[in-house]
Amino acid sequence: MAAFEDQIRVLICQGTGGLAAGAKPVEEAFQAEFDKHGVDAKVGKRCTLVGTGCRGLCANDVLVDIVIPGQAAVTYDFVKPEMVPQIVEEHILQGQVVEKKKAGPYYQKFLEKQMRVVFSRCGTIDAESLDDFLAMEGFSGIKKAVTMTPQEVIEEVKKSGLRGRGGGGFPTGVKWSFCAASPGKEKYLICNADEGDPGAFMDRSILEGDPYGLIEGMMIASYAIGAEFGYVYVRAEYPLAIKRLQKAIDVCYEKGFLGKNCLGLGFNFDLRIKAGAGAFVCGEETALMASIEGERGMPRPRPPFPAVRGLWTKPTNINNVETFANVSYIFYRGGDWFASIGTEGTKGTKIFALTGKVKHTGLVEVPAGITMREVIYDVCGGILNNRKFKAVQAGGPSGGCLPGEAIDAEVDYDSLIKAGAMMGSGGLVVMDETTCMVDIARFFLNFTRMESCGKCVPCRIGLKLMLDILERITEGRGQEGDIELLEDMCYDIKKASLCGLGQTAPNPVLSTIRYFRHEYEAHIHNQRCPSNSCKALLKFEVVDAACKKCGLCYKICPVDAVIWEKGQLAVIDKEKCTKCTSCYDACRFMAIE
Amino acid sequence: MSNAEAPVAPEQEEIDLGPANQVIDKYLNLKGALMPVLQEVQDAYGYLPEPCIHLIAERLNVYLSQIYGVLTFYAQFHLEPRGKYIVRVCMGTACHVKGAGRIADTLSDMLGIGHAETTEDLKFTVEHVACIGACGMAPVIMVNEATYGSISVKKMEEVVEKYRAMD
Ligand SMILES: Cc1cc2nc3c(=O)[nH]c(=O)nc-3n(C[C@H](O)[C@H](O)[C@H](O)COP(=O)(O)O)c2cc1C
Ligand code: SF4
Ligand code: SF4
Ligand code: FES
Ligand code: FES
């Protein structure tokens, strides 16, 4: 990276994943080695330790990159403090890469098809350092924006084709123009960092890894709309994100980048964090505003839209974290550049959180329009334990499950909707043959039922009734007609609910019925769970014909209920077995039923 | 099981309203002060003691009913004292697919408490949460601020034992 040519940089992942895996002791080990050897003097350069945000491959943390000017960066994974002396000695001092400890070829593959735009700083710079941010285009977007009129700024965003990344995919420039056109001087700007979607963590990574980038995007929006006051609504479950963002905001105030006459560019913008308090529905924009006002976070009917009557009854614009992060890049490189990436209907890149039964779980940023298959197999290495792919759940509780046949769908707002799922915020949960689709539907319904704010009867009571039916089915007590009843209820709840939560909560049920109806039928008619996943229907027996005598089940059982010896078939002692399903998950040959 | 130890009776303790008053002073003239005040008072006491709630109502000039409306709506407010170690078990999608259910079951068996409950010795509180945001390492649990990823039944037992052995 040109900006840091005079130094060797050791990038240590210190996102939530990195820290959980022990990034701090690794950093201390590097520091100790540097002190011991007097490394700066020996290599004739400054040798800098940089705590970065998430790289995307959290499962392989601690990830360490050694960046020596003029050479390709080298990544080490699963780094432990014990490995550090060797890396410093051989790689930094002698210039010999420690091949054995290097991240394998999969890491190259993980990066190959990605296009890291929004993530270009995240994972490469010290997230807390303003200097690092400035060295990589930081604040050049807002400087460019103020050379245009607010109207021109909005036009540029429209030209880029950017659509909101928070789920709905509404064109960002158009949204801004509504708020800009609203009468009144006092306006508000809100960043939605509630990220309530379980299985999604891209917003968290941006907040932790590039907080200044988010602030810059919000500055551009505030200038365009004429809002002088902004909030970032962050969920309270993200303590590190709150800490880093707060630090970045403090630094910006100190330097005069925020507040009155920001950066000396002639506009005012005050920014403050508001911590959420654990309610999924607060991600809905009208509920979120109620929450900032100190009320219960209950949605209200729209119109009036927030652009007309929002926070404290003033015109308000609300966007997602990733949306604002994209805005900065539109002004670094131009709306035309942005529009050249992606598909007809979805421009730019999209960040996905890939989790579940996929080899390399992680955060990936790809140009819109690549297929689900490419993301799962090429970027993330395929299915865990080489099991069979069954489905991918896209769009969280509001989305749907796509089966094998739909895996060539493009990741693009419109293609996904056509296939019966949606982009949502970008969570993709991969499922293999051991995942029961009825159970997944039950899982999501349980979630949405608990998170319903209770204002609408169909959402509050309907979801509960649907959940009861699904629970019955997964326990082997399904009845004739249950599937049809579920379908009917889905349509009614979708139609009669006030906010997006109730309107989309039935989607996981509808999509699993659409693609996996046979699984529902097997549960109802035969009291059988084809994926051997519903606990009440599991027998916990070893299928002799499938057992490869490997003993994996024996090793994992926490209560020694598996009887096994080398070369022998495993047997489960039903008296001792607590039905914890550990052995079932561990067996690679589907030999436990 | 540690539950057998004599329970502390926190409701009989005298509550010092000093810290609560300090928090309120800070927010007195701010719009939308209620939630941050509740959050910070909770940080100071570990939960929201009733006398503090009355104090907040009085000084911020809001109805008690409104405060309780807010308190019961959000998952993160607590009206009872909580354990020294808060064990959060992620029940989000990624964790569910990777077996969070049995992690939670085992934890309940070990501690004898379920979701949103506290052991009598005030050592552990268990909470099932929707997503910790570390889904790449699913299944995940958190003990206070420390995150433990790729957790198995065995590994979780080790973690619990570790905290059990600590004061
Ligand atoms: C129940 C519910 C939860 C939502 N949660 C979030 C969220 O966590 N983050 C988010 O950005 N948008 C969320 N949304 C969408 C927001 O209401 C809003 O559309 C979005 O923040 C607009 O930003 P965008 O135009 O940049 O996408 C949610 C919507 C609903 C109905
Ligand atoms: S649809 Fe559900 S969550 Fe939304 S307002 Fe109605 S009850 Fe509340
Ligand atoms: S289900 Fe759990 S307790 Fe039973 S045999 Fe398997 S690993 Fe052991
Ligand atoms: S936190 Fe380290 S790669 Fe995600
Ligand atoms: S689903 Fe468990 S951490 Fe996100």
Side-chain angles (χ1 to χ4, degrees):
Chain A
M1 183 183 324
F4 304 109
E5 223 138 53
D6 54 338
Q7 43 181 305
I8 293 179
R9 288 168 68 88
V10 177
L11 313 178
I12 304 171
C13 175
Q14 294 188 357
T16 294
L19 290 172
K24 278 291 167 199
V26 169
E27 180 179 346
E28 283 157 19
F30 270 103
Q31 192 57 56
E33 285 304 301
F34 287 180
D35 294 346
K36 197 165 99 197
H37 292 286
V39 166
D40 288 4
K42 274 200 192 153
V43 296
K45 275 196 172 67
R46 201 146 55 81
C47 210
T48 315
L49 287 175
V50 182
T52 73
C54 177
R55 297 282 173 68
L57 202 57
C58 321
N60 293 35
D61 261 318
V62 179
L63 289 164
V64 175
D65 268 21
I66 311 269
V67 193
I68 300 178
Q71 298 176 16
V74 176
T75 304
Y76 296 96
D77 62 354
F78 300 112
V79 176
K80 298 262 170 297
E82 307 86 81
M83 292 157 59
V84 170
Q86 190 186 7
I87 295 175
V88 172
E89 180 82 37
E90 294 178 18
H91 189 158
I92 297 183
L93 289 174
Q94 294 162 22
Q96 289 290 325
V97 177
V98 189
E99 292 292 340
K100 267 202 196 135
K101 305 279 161 72
K102 231 173 74 175
Y106 69 83
Y107 192 68
Q108 217 33 55
K109 284 205 75 181
F110 179 73
L111 295 176
E112 232 160 53
K113 281 208 174 166
Q114 290 195 49
M115 179 171 181
R116 290 171 83 91
V117 174
V118 172
F119 267 169
S120 60
R121 280 190 295 252
C122 189
T124 36
I125 63 164
D126 177 348
E128 295 187 5
S129 160
L130 178 62
D131 289 338
D132 274 21
F133 176 70
L134 293 173
M136 285 188 75
E137 304 178 291
F139 288 136
S140 60
I142 178 67
K143 285 182 186 150
K144 170 92 181 294
V146 293
T147 63
M148 311 167 156
T149 65
Q151 194 48 45
E152 285 165 348
V153 169
I154 293 175
E155 286 309 316
E156 190 73 14
V157 175
K158 280 189 190 162
K159 190 163 77 177
S160 75
L162 174 66
R163 293 169 70 173
R165 299 296 195 237
F170 194 80
T172 306
V174 177
K175 197 191 255 188
W176 289 12
S177 64
F178 291 153
C179 187
S182 269
K185 233 188 103 41
E186 207 178 322
K187 290 177 187 175
Y188 289 94
L189 185 68
I190 298 176
C191 171
N192 188 342
D194 195 45
E195 196 160 67
D197 206 352
F201 52 111
M202 38 267 161
D203 292 347
R204 193 206 70 191
S205 292
I206 295 172
L207 294 165
E208 285 177 9
D210 191 16
Y212 293 99
L214 170 68
I215 296 174
E216 179 176 13
M218 292 190 73
M219 282 179 172
I220 296 172
S222 93
Y223 172 76
I225 292 163
E228 299 199 345
F229 208 95
Y231 284 98
V232 186
Y233 189 94
V234 192
R235 66 195 307 232
E237 287 89 342
Y238 288 178
L240 185 65
I242 293 180
K243 195 180 121 218
R244 293 220 174 122
L245 180 63
Q246 186 61 56
K247 180 155 182 208
I249 291 177
D250 291 346
V251 170
C252 284
Y253 269 109
E254 251 165 55
K255 303 262 175 197
F257 291 4
L258 280 173
K260 290 263 165 291
N261 192 13
C262 297
L263 286 133
L265 298 176
F267 70 102
N268 307 329
F269 186 49
D270 270 305
L271 187 60
R272 148 193 301 276
I273 295 180
K274 169 80 183 61
F280 172 70
V281 71
C282 285
E284 199 280 337
E285 50 196 34
T286 58
L288 189 152
M289 293 184 304
S291 181
I292 294 182
E293 289 168 4
E295 309 272 336
R296 291 166 77 102
M298 307 252 250
R300 61 156 176 78
R302 295 173 305 179
F305 287 95
V308 175
R309 191 185 162 90
L311 190 61
W312 285 303
T313 71
K314 304 292 184 225
T316 301
N317 182 80
I318 176 163
N319 286 116
N320 163 265
V321 176
E322 196 184 328
T323 312
F324 282 123
N326 269 298
V327 165
S328 312
Y329 289 91
I330 291 172
F331 286 85
Y332 300 156
R333 299 179 200 160
D336 288 326
W337 164 82
F338 193 88
S340 72
I341 307 165
T343 62
E344 189 55 39
T346 309
K347 299 299 183 190
T349 59
K350 175 74 193 103
I351 305 178
F352 289 99
L354 262 101
T355 57
K357 302 287 176 78
V358 67
K359 264 197 196 121
H360 305 305
T361 53
L363 281 184
V364 304
E365 181 174 357
V366 290
I370 97 170
T371 67
M372 208 60 105
R373 182 189 300 282
E374 288 173 287
V375 176
I376 296 172
Y377 284 90
D378 299 345
V379 180
C380 292
I383 309 301
L384 202 63
N385 293 339
N386 293 323
R387 280 193 172 139
K388 237 173 79 200
F389 170 83
K390 182 165 183 177
V392 56
Q393 150 78 28
S398 337
C401 290
L402 300 178
E405 307 95 83
I407 192 181
D408 287 308
E410 288 182 348
V411 295
D412 156 296
Y413 287 104
D414 312 311
S415 324
L416 285 178
I417 296 222
K418 222 186 294 157
M422 62 186 274
M423 186 106 99
S425 55
L428 296 178
V429 187
V430 177
M431 300 166 188
D432 66 8
E433 55 199 322
T434 64
T435 316
C436 168
M437 303 317 281
V438 187
D439 176 63
I440 287 297
R442 182 202 59 80
F443 168 81
F444 279 113
L445 227 63
N446 184 44
F447 177 80
T448 38
R449 187 230 13 160
M450 301 234 287
E451 297 297 337
S452 164
C453 81
K455 195 165 181 168
C456 318
V457 177
C459 176
R460 181 177 73 229
I461 304 197
L463 294 179
K464 168 77 178 116
L465 291 177
M466 281 177 68
L467 178 64
D468 287 345
I469 299 174
L470 286 165
E471 269 172 357
R472 259 201 294 111
I473 298 179
T474 55
E475 285 163 8
R477 293 183 291 111
Q479 294 163 5
E480 213 50 62
D482 274 350
I483 301 180
E484 293 69 23
L485 179 59
L486 281 174
E487 283 176 325
D488 277 353
M489 294 186 71
C490 285
Y491 292 117
D492 292 341
I493 294 173
K494 281 169 84 80
K495 241 190 297 176
S497 296
L498 169 64
C499 88
L501 192 150
Q503 286 159 7
T504 61
N507 287 352
V509 180
L510 283 177
S511 77
T512 47
I513 293 182
R514 169 168 167 193
Y515 290 116
F516 299 95
R517 196 178 186 104
H518 55 280
E519 291 199 17
Y520 281 84
E521 286 165 352
H523 282 79
I524 296 174
H525 302 315
N526 312 337
Q527 284 76 50
R528 220 174 56 78
C529 173
S531 332
N532 283 325
S533 148
C534 291
K535 218 166 139 179
L537 302 179
L538 258 174
K539 289 187 290 224
F540 292 99
E541 273 170 10
V542 177
V543 186
D544 291 356
C547 177
K548 294 271 195 302
K549 308 176 182 172
C550 68
L552 275 176
C553 52
Y554 169 77
K555 288 188 197 110
I556 201 106
C557 178
V559 295
D560 300 323
V562 181
I563 307 155
W564 172 83
E565 265 174 56
K566 221 179 165 118
Q568 302 286 308
L569 290 171
V571 181
I572 293 175
D573 178 344
K574 290 205 172 168
E575 294 278 287
K576 274 193 183 169
C577 172
T578 59
K579 304 198 168 183
C580 75
T581 69
S582 297
C583 56
Y584 174 72
D585 286 339
C587 181
R588 301 192 173 193
F589 311 103
M590 300 290 290
I592 292 169
E593 231 181 53
Chain B
M1 177 143 291
S2 46
N3 285 0
E5 285 166 25
V8 197
E11 54 275 19
Q12 279 154 33
E13 271 173 6
E14 277 292 309
I15 299 282
D16 170 15
L17 292 175
N21 271 313
Q22 273 172 19
V23 172
I24 300 171
D25 289 341
K26 227 169 73 185
Y27 285 95
L28 212 47
N29 296 316
L30 254 155
K31 269 194 202 170
L34 182 56
M35 284 251 286
V37 165
L38 291 171
Q39 281 165 330
E40 282 190 34
V41 170
Q42 175 163 289
D43 285 346
Y45 294 85
Y47 72 110
L48 283 159
E50 209 179 305
C52 292
I53 298 175
H54 284 265
L55 180 78
I56 294 168
E58 213 170 279
R59 292 200 55 203
L60 292 184
N61 202 13
V62 259
Y63 290 116
L64 264 181
S65 58
Q66 194 199 336
I67 299 193
Y68 276 99
V70 167
L71 288 178
T72 50
F73 185 82
Y74 296 99
Q76 278 169 0
F77 291 121
H78 308 285
L79 299 170
E80 301 284 331
R82 305 206 308 145
K84 181 161 183 193
Y85 301 110
I86 315 286
V87 187
R88 295 195 170 88
V89 189
C90 178
M91 297 297 232
T93 324
C95 292
H96 175 77
V97 170
K98 287 238 182 138
R102 71 166 178 279
I103 303 284
D105 289 348
T106 317
L107 185 66
S108 284
D109 287 347
M110 284 190 78
L111 297 175
I113 51 171
H115 167 56
E117 292 176 352
T118 301
T119 53
E120 276 180 39
D121 62 357
L122 292 183
K123 189 144 187 185
F124 291 101
T125 297
V126 170
E127 271 178 13
H128 297 174
V129 299
C131 177
I132 288 169
C135 328
M137 302 184 291
V140 182
I141 67 169
M142 251 174 124
V143 182
N144 293 350
E145 303 262 293
T147 311
Y148 298 87
S150 311
I151 208 105
S152 61
V153 169
K154 267 194 179 152
K155 213 164 132 191
M156 197 211 51
E157 287 176 345
E158 285 164 23
V159 173
V160 171
E161 285 310 330
K162 181 175 121 191
Y163 285 96
R164 234 188 211 151
M166 292 203 272
D167 280 336

